[in-house]
Amino acid sequence: MKLPPADSALGRLMASLPRSGRVEWIGVRPGRDEPVIECDEVSAETGAGLVGDRYAGGSGKRGVTLIQAEHLPVIATLAGLDAVHPATLRRNLVVSGIPVIALKGRRFRVGDVVLEGTSPCDPCSKMEEALGPGGYNAMRGHGGLCARVIDGGRIRRGDTVAALQAELDLQ
């Protein structure tokens, strides 16, 4: 999707994130099909990802995955479940209070770490097994965001999530 010019009316609206968010949950995925490990804090390495996560050291575009806390009840409802635990969805960070998809193409700070939103984090076919019949479609549009680590450091549960600048970084 090509983003509108930053100086256009739509570009200014898309760049406006007046409130910050908060990290509600952290998890790392040590390997494919291995259980997610819930953490109170995690180290992020520049260009690599989260220490202990299976995507650490890869291309970096998927170094950290984020999902909207407010979307968890929506996903559960659409999948016909009472609730969905964050580990089931295999994302690294559950964030509340800020629309994570609005961080696509932007740099933002999470705790000590600077991330850059690279692409939507679409669900994989494993969500059908994890959530039951219809689980894949329940997550469509609610999968969150992939990000790369620009400046490493620590991310802790309760840390603030905030956009770094008003204009969109990638167009």
Side-chain angles (χ1 to χ4, degrees):
M1 170 181 124
K2 183 158 174 45
L3 298 173
D7 62 348
S8 71
L10 184 56
R12 285 189 299 275
L13 286 173
M14 290 177 72
S16 176
L17 291 167
R19 287 172 289 286
S20 59
R22 181 177 188 274
V23 176
E24 301 293 341
W25 184 89
I26 301 170
V28 293
R29 306 150 300 186
R32 184 176 179 86
D33 297 328
E34 289 185 33
V36 173
I37 300 170
E38 187 172 345
C39 315
D40 288 325
E41 65 179 72
V42 66
S43 291
E45 295 181 341
T46 303
L50 300 180
V51 173
D53 193 72
R54 70 179 279 220
Y55 286 104
S59 70
K61 287 186 175 188
R62 193 180 168 95
V64 181
T65 56
L66 301 92
I67 194 164
Q68 190 79 48
E70 293 84 353
H71 288 189
L72 298 181
V74 173
I75 294 166
T77 298
L78 295 173
L81 303 171
D82 292 332
V84 174
H85 191 276
T88 304
L89 304 179
R90 303 188 66 78
R91 301 301 188 260
N92 299 124
L93 305 178
V94 176
V95 174
S96 66
I98 190 169
V100 295
I101 200 63
L103 298 170
K104 179 181 176 270
R106 301 199 52 166
R107 289 190 178 181
F108 55 101
R109 182 172 298 282
V110 181
D112 300 335
V113 178
V114 175
L115 300 175
E116 182 176 75
T118 57
S119 63
C121 191
D122 296 323
C124 70
S125 61
K126 292 184 181 291
M127 290 300 104
E128 196 73 7
E129 180 182 331
L131 298 172
Y136 174 84
N137 280 320
M139 279 202 64
R140 288 178 66 192
H142 303 289
L145 181 72
C146 296
R148 80 176 94 230
V149 180
I150 302 300
D151 292 323
R154 303 290 290 171
I155 297 173
R156 295 167 186 84
R157 192 180 310 211
D159 278 349
T160 298
V161 180
L164 288 180
Q165 59 224 32
E167 72 276 350
L168 297 174
D169 297 312
L170 303 174
Q171 295 204 22

